[in-house]
């Protein structure tokens, strides 16, 4: 026969006080709604934050003009400062119903030129959406990217 001795369990420590729950997050102020608008950019001017930007192209061209590059540099800088921002490029080109296909291709070339410029300035391509709308411009210059 084997004898065993009873072993007393160690005393149970009182549970530590639970840490106080973090305060609820402050309600974020709703962002003001900005009315849709198209603004042509004067040479060398950078629009205020939140203002839509229109990059105007010469007729039948997809080459970025120098004044537009300064504004796009400012956009790239804003994108670098806030990782939650995204861009939607809406591209247009002049033309009529008979040249709609050509206008759509030209508008796509313009949007891709703007996109490439921004990517070269460090904006990730996944943050830029491109829409080539061809000759379906509803005001403003028909040769632009908004």
């Amino acid at each position: 026969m084997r004898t065993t001795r009873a072993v007393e369990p160690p005393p149970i420590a009182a549970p530590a006080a639970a840490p106080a729950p973090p305060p609820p997050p402050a309600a974020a102020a709703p962002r003001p709604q900005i009315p849709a608008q198209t603004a042509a950019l004067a040479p060398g001017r950078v629009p205020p934050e939140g203002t839509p930007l229109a990059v105007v192209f010469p007729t039948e061209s997809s080459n970025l003009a120098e004044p537009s590059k300064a504004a796009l540099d400012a956009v790239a800088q804003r994108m670098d400062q806030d990782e939650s921002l995204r861009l939607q490029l809406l591209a247009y080109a002049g033309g009529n119903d008979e040249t709609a296909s050509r206008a759509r291709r030209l508008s796509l070339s313009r949007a891709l030129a703007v996109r490439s410029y921004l990517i070269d300035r460090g904006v990730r391509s996944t943050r830029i959406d491109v829409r080539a709308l061809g000759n379906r411009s509803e005001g403003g210059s028909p040769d632009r990217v908004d």
Side-chain angles (χ1 to χ4, degrees):
M1 190 184 272
R2 222 165 156 201
T3 39
T4 59
R5 312 188 287 174
V7 178
E8 284 189 41
I12 298 175
R31 287 188 149 180
Q33 292 294 325
I34 299 172
Q37 57 183 333
T38 302
L41 185 65
R45 292 209 44 223
V46 177
E49 188 168 344
T51 303
L53 169 66
V55 177
V56 180
F57 286 81
T59 304
E60 300 299 321
S61 174
S62 61
N63 297 324
L64 282 171
E66 286 303 315
S68 300
K69 292 179 180 180
L72 291 174
D73 288 339
V75 170
Q77 185 177 24
R78 285 186 201 145
M79 296 288 290
D80 186 46
Q81 293 171 353
D82 187 349
E83 287 293 317
S84 68
L85 293 178
R86 295 186 54 83
L87 289 176
Q88 182 178 42
L89 303 177
L90 305 175
Y92 303 94
N96 55 33
D97 289 340
E98 294 173 6
T99 60
S101 177
R102 183 170 184 236
R104 187 171 172 106
R105 284 192 307 270
L106 180 57
S107 68
L108 178 60
S109 294
R110 290 172 173 170
L112 294 177
V114 171
R115 180 178 176 264
S116 293
Y117 187 85
L118 292 170
I119 289 171
D120 289 344
R121 299 303 176 277
V123 178
R124 287 190 331 267
S125 63
T126 56
R127 298 174 65 197
I128 304 171
D129 300 320
V130 172
R131 294 191 61 205
L133 300 172
N135 61 356
R136 295 188 289 159
S137 176
E138 295 180 11
S141 170
D143 297 306
R144 72 181 194 279
V145 174
D146 292 342

